[in-house]
Amino acid sequence: GLSPRGKVVEGRFQAHREGFGFLIPDDPNLPDIFLGKKDVRDLMHRDRLALHLGKKGRRGEEGERRVEVLERASRRVVGYFREGPKHDFVFPEDPRQFHDLRIAKKSTGGAKENQLVLAEITRYPTSTEAAEGRILKVLGDPDDPRLDAEIIIYKYDLPEAFPEKALAEAAALPETVSRETISRRRDLRELNFFTVDGDKARDFDDAVALKRLKNGNFKLWVSIADVSHYVREGSALDDEAFRRGTSVYFPERALPMLPPKLSNGICSLNPREDRLTMTVEMDFDGAGSLRKADFFPSIIHSKARLTYTLVKKVLAEEKPEPAEVSPAVAKDLRTMAELCRLIRARRMAKGSIDFDLPEPEIVLDIQGKIEEIVRADRHLGHQLIEEFMIVSNEAVARFLSEKEAPALNRVHEPPEAGKIEAFAEFLAHLGYSFPMKEKLRPGVFQRILNGVRGKAEEKPVNYLLLRSMKQARYTEKALGHFALGKKHYLHFTSPIRRYPDLIVHRILKEVLKSGSLTEKRKNRWMTKLPSLAEQSSARERVAMEAEREIVDRKKIQFMRDKVGEEFNGYISAVVAFGVFVELEEFFIEDLVHLTRLPRDRYRFLETKHTLQGEHTRQTFRLGDRVRVRVDAANLERKRIDFSLIQ
């Protein structure tokens, strides 16, 4: 699948802690390309590269390939300060940054042994010379959980403070909606709109309202914050939103895409405030089938700010206090739940994959330490909002497609044939058959998931299928969303926290204003969309990595006082050097190394996701239930070590 010899492949370098890595090509149709230790001597994790493929010789011959650094990903490094006789050093906190920085004695900034520091790279590594740097800031004790967010912000170079120009533009915005602006919009303030979000949410992108018609049909309004009215294309606010791409959420704080004046103020659909929105008005028949969709700029007045906890009470008929939920809102919620079930049933019947994987919820104390890790509550209230957002996103995507307008699509491509073959082989070992001759549709996978529901193999099958899937991304091409079973799909419902949604709002407004786009306007958008898609996808991946890593740090800190204790778990992955075990109680996963399994010589049966002892014939297979002891929780090594008890 590689490009022909003589070609150049561009992409990102993904380093491995052992000193090698992979080029992840920009072209999603190309495979990842292995780079050995000789190739990566002057590279750093996430650098942009150009790999020149030689014209002659067999792969692997000297001089066949040449790696060129196009853009350095890191200007700064977070690491551990170590003193040396002639020079001091910074050992990167991220093991994938396998180049240590040499620090001159005069450039230590007062750092002390083993403190975490922020260092600037003054010279990048070469094949013969070490990287050099200087200390910019002493962060402090590596074990201080209050440093976690700061470490991740520096490590991923996440934007924190907003530029002065952007803040000035935000400060100049009105705090209320003018009568003149209201007069140019459809007035929906009399409708019973409300928002439903998590307990800790501070910005509210979407509000919903519903009416049951006399003929038994439903009319649903989904109104989304009209961020594009305030964030103008080419403004300082727009430039900064593009640079950030998305809001980033940590357990104790958030890095918003827009300044708080917008994200928590004039753009947020706060209760009992007039707010500008873009509305999708949808008519459903009594069976939950969408019959008509209309789109228009509007103004709403949210009657209530609900939480998922309150919605759960209402739908469980627990009768919350009237001060919490009015009778009118409670009545509409119950009707919405009815419509939600109908829409969801239709979506699943058409073929849509519904992964049933538990999500952890982290509870922190005031020092930033984890008090407990619990299973996040998922119920009909969550499904209600999810279904209404999915159907709105699809409706906008279909509308723009019918108008032959460009769009920033949210695509999820079908999995690769090799991944499906491996998944089918694993299923066969569990006694399930996969219809390889049948056309690859999401409904095929959902039938498998339905078949294992409630059984011992449910978790491993869900996890392995998820790992077999491609990552969703943004593109100007309408490639469809495989997992949802949608031919047309995009993101429209979260413009406060996602830049692609803001772009979709702008395109939709242009189409609504004139009925269609001129060829000149189409070409303008088609020229802009590829770079917008690439940036949005890249920023989403960075945000996901950062959010995942800060949670991992918290988990390691949480397990430190549990060294020596035993827990039940199950094998969540099998690799050549051991098995990964996820604890049932805490949703924490890490390694049981081969050396901590019963003494034997083990064979790694990759397609069976199994380790098998040659002498004892004892096997360790994906999904097996085990009991483990916590041997160590090391923040510097990013590892929790388990050993097998039973």
Side-chain angles (χ1 to χ4, degrees):
L2 282 176
S3 297
R5 301 189 188 284
K7 296 290 184 181
V8 178
V9 180
E10 294 186 4
R12 287 272 175 199
F13 175 53
Q14 183 171 299
H16 189 279
R17 67 173 69 200
E18 297 298 331
F20 57 87
F22 297 87
L23 175 67
I24 313 299
D26 295 335
D27 184 347
N29 297 312
L30 291 178
D32 300 344
I33 302 170
F34 176 76
L35 299 176
K37 291 187 178 183
K38 288 183 179 179
D39 296 314
V40 306
R41 286 179 294 191
D42 59 346
L43 304 182
M44 299 189 74
H45 181 56
R46 302 201 76 252
D47 284 349
R48 274 197 58 77
L49 308 178
L51 177 62
H52 299 260
L53 300 169
K55 292 184 179 180
K56 297 180 181 179
R58 298 186 306 277
R59 178 178 173 85
E61 283 186 352
E62 190 67 30
E64 183 192 357
R65 302 191 303 178
R66 180 170 61 86
V67 178
E68 176 189 0
V69 178
L70 299 178
E71 178 189 342
R72 292 290 186 178
S74 304
R75 296 174 292 108
R76 305 179 300 183
V77 169
V78 174
Y80 298 90
F81 181 75
R82 302 279 196 269
E83 295 178 356
K86 294 182 179 179
H87 304 278
D88 296 329
F89 296 90
V90 171
F91 290 84
E93 190 267 351
D94 187 342
R96 294 171 299 184
Q97 294 288 22
F98 40 66
H99 293 288
D100 305 331
L101 291 188
R102 192 164 63 194
I103 309 293
K105 291 287 185 180
K106 63 181 180 181
S107 303
T108 61
K112 296 177 182 174
E113 181 73 12
N114 206 41
Q115 283 187 317
L116 270 175
V117 297
L118 175 67
E120 179 185 36
I121 302 171
T122 57
R123 188 179 75 180
Y124 287 93
T126 68
S127 57
T128 57
E129 296 286 342
E132 293 183 355
R134 64 187 182 92
I135 307 300
L136 294 176
K137 185 178 181 181
V138 177
L139 301 179
D141 181 358
D143 295 331
D144 187 348
R146 293 171 296 183
L147 282 180
D148 289 341
E150 191 174 9
I151 290 168
I152 299 300
I153 287 168
Y154 287 135
K155 182 173 177 178
Y156 287 91
D157 202 16
L158 298 174
E160 189 173 13
F162 285 90
E164 288 299 323
K165 279 190 176 181
L167 291 174
E169 287 182 2
L173 292 173
E175 295 187 359
T176 57
V177 181
S178 69
R179 289 184 179 181
E180 182 184 357
T181 303
I182 292 173
S183 67
R184 296 194 295 267
R185 290 172 170 260
R186 197 175 299 187
D187 194 338
L188 303 180
R189 287 177 293 179
E190 294 303 313
L191 290 175
N192 195 32
F193 274 102
F194 49 84
T195 61
V196 183
D197 293 273
D199 292 340
K200 297 178 182 178
R202 293 292 178 268
D203 51 48
F204 312 119
D205 287 280
D206 53 271
V208 292
L210 183 75
K211 279 188 178 179
R212 186 195 288 276
L213 306 179
K214 291 181 179 179
N215 60 3
N217 292 350
F218 305 87
K219 187 178 285 289
L220 173 68
W221 292 267
V222 175
S223 288
I224 309 300
D226 189 359
V227 176
S228 64
H229 179 84
Y230 299 101
V231 180
R232 301 293 183 173
E233 191 174 354
S235 65
L237 281 169
D238 185 44
D239 291 344
E240 183 63 12
F242 168 75
R243 185 169 79 95
R244 294 176 179 236
T246 180
S247 297
V248 184
Y249 297 96
F250 297 152
E252 68 268 50
R253 61 179 294 195
L255 300 177
M257 186 180 79
L258 299 171
K261 173 79 181 282
L262 287 89
S263 60
N264 298 353
I266 190 63
C267 289
S268 183
L269 307 185
N270 299 330
R272 295 170 293 282
E273 299 274 1
D274 288 350
R275 288 292 184 260
L276 303 183
T277 52
M278 291 294 294
T279 294
V280 184
E281 180 183 289
M282 292 169 281
D283 291 334
F284 293 88
D285 63 21
S289 177
L290 179 62
R291 294 305 184 186
K292 179 186 174 185
D294 195 12
F295 314 87
F296 49 85
S298 56
I299 181 166
I300 70 164
H301 188 93
S302 176
K303 304 299 189 294
R305 178 270 199 264
L306 303 185
T307 65
Y308 291 116
T309 305
L310 278 176
V311 173
K312 182 181 180 181
K313 283 184 180 180
V314 172
L315 299 182
E317 304 290 344
E318 291 183 18
K319 297 181 180 179
E321 295 294 324
E324 294 180 298
V325 181
S326 70
V329 168
K331 179 184 177 184
D332 284 353
L333 272 174
R334 294 186 183 101
T335 309
M336 285 180 180
E338 183 182 343
L339 176 59
C340 164
R341 291 188 183 97
L342 294 170
I343 295 173
R344 182 175 174 80
R346 292 185 64 84
R347 179 166 68 85
M348 301 309 295
K350 287 181 178 179
S352 186
I353 304 176
D354 180 29
F355 291 101
D356 188 17
L357 297 172
E359 290 286 339
E361 182 177 333
I362 290 177
V363 181
L364 301 179
D365 63 17
I366 58 173
Q367 275 84 36
K369 293 181 180 178
I370 297 184
E371 285 188 334
E372 58 179 334
I373 304 173
V374 297
R375 180 175 180 141
D377 194 15
R378 300 283 301 171
H379 50 76
L380 184 56
H382 294 87
Q383 289 182 7
L384 185 151
I385 296 301
E386 285 172 2
E387 295 299 331
F388 291 174
M389 297 307 114
I390 289 172
V391 76
S392 301
N393 287 334
E394 185 186 15
V396 174
R398 283 186 176 279
F399 175 73
L400 292 180
S401 175
E402 290 166 2
K403 294 294 182 178
E404 299 182 345
L408 189 51
N409 298 284
R410 179 64 168 180
V411 304
H412 181 243
E413 294 155 281
E416 296 170 359
K419 294 278 184 75
I420 296 308
E421 288 172 5
F423 178 67
E425 191 166 350
F426 174 67
L427 286 177
H429 293 303
L430 294 177
Y432 296 90
S433 61
F434 186 87
M436 293 296 293
K437 294 182 180 180
E438 193 173 326
K439 185 176 179 180
L440 197 62
R441 291 191 175 96
V444 173
F445 296 103
Q446 189 56 49
R447 288 204 302 270
I448 298 293
L449 297 182
N450 291 340
V452 299
R453 185 161 291 147
K455 299 179 181 178
E457 56 268 27
E458 179 180 9
K459 271 188 178 180
V461 169
N462 269 269
Y463 275 119
L464 188 58
L465 177 56
L466 187 61
R467 290 169 185 160
S468 302
M469 293 289 165
K470 287 189 176 181
Q471 188 173 8
R473 61 189 177 94
Y474 296 103
T475 176
E476 73 282 5
K477 299 173 185 175
L479 303 176
H481 198 293
F482 180 79
L484 290 175
K486 305 294 185 186
K487 185 178 179 182
H488 303 283
Y489 199 71
L490 48 68
H491 278 165
F492 165 77
T493 54
S494 295
I496 291 177
R497 62 182 181 89
R498 287 191 307 229
Y499 194 74
D501 303 54
L502 176 56
I503 295 300
V504 168
H505 277 234
R506 288 174 178 159
I507 297 173
L508 178 62
K509 277 188 173 181
E510 285 190 21
V511 173
L512 293 175
K513 185 176 180 180
S514 55
S516 62
L517 295 185
T518 63
E519 286 303 314
K520 183 178 180 181
R521 298 299 295 175
K522 285 182 184 179
N523 291 336
R524 176 182 177 273
W525 277 114
M526 288 307 296
T527 301
K528 290 169 65 72
L529 285 175
S531 60
L532 293 173
E534 183 180 350
Q535 167 73 355
S536 298
S537 297
R539 295 310 302 170
E540 178 187 48
R541 288 192 293 271
V542 169
M544 287 172 60
E545 281 188 43
E547 291 168 354
R548 188 182 301 122
E549 182 164 335
I550 196 169
V551 170
D552 288 343
R553 289 184 66 86
K554 300 288 187 189
K555 288 179 177 179
I556 293 170
Q557 293 161 2
F558 179 66
M559 295 303 291
R560 278 184 161 174
D561 63 355
K562 295 171 179 57
V563 172
E565 294 184 28
E566 297 179 9
F567 298 94
N568 291 328
Y570 70 94
I571 295 176
S572 55
V574 181
V575 291
F577 49 87
V579 296
F580 283 86
V581 171
E582 181 172 310
L583 306 185
E584 291 181 352
E585 187 175 349
F586 296 128
F587 302 95
I588 288 174
E589 178 193 65
D590 225 306
L591 181 69
V592 178
H593 195 270
L594 276 177
T595 56
R596 289 180 169 88
L597 293 177
R599 187 166 180 169
D600 202 342
R601 181 191 296 274
Y602 287 94
R603 293 177 60 214
F604 175 42
L605 309 177
E606 186 173 4
T607 58
K608 295 183 179 181
H609 296 266
T610 298
L611 281 175
Q612 185 176 74
E614 290 187 358
H615 301 294
T616 64
R617 309 303 294 174
Q618 188 167 6
T619 60
F620 297 92
R621 188 174 64 176
L622 186 70
D624 283 352
R625 291 174 59 82
V626 293
R627 187 165 180 83
V628 296
R629 181 180 63 239
V630 181
D631 290 339
N634 190 306
L635 197 56
E636 186 170 347
R637 290 172 55 234
K638 303 280 193 305
R639 283 268 295 274
I640 302 170
D641 291 325
F642 298 139
S643 58
L644 188 75
I645 300 300
Q646 183 182 342

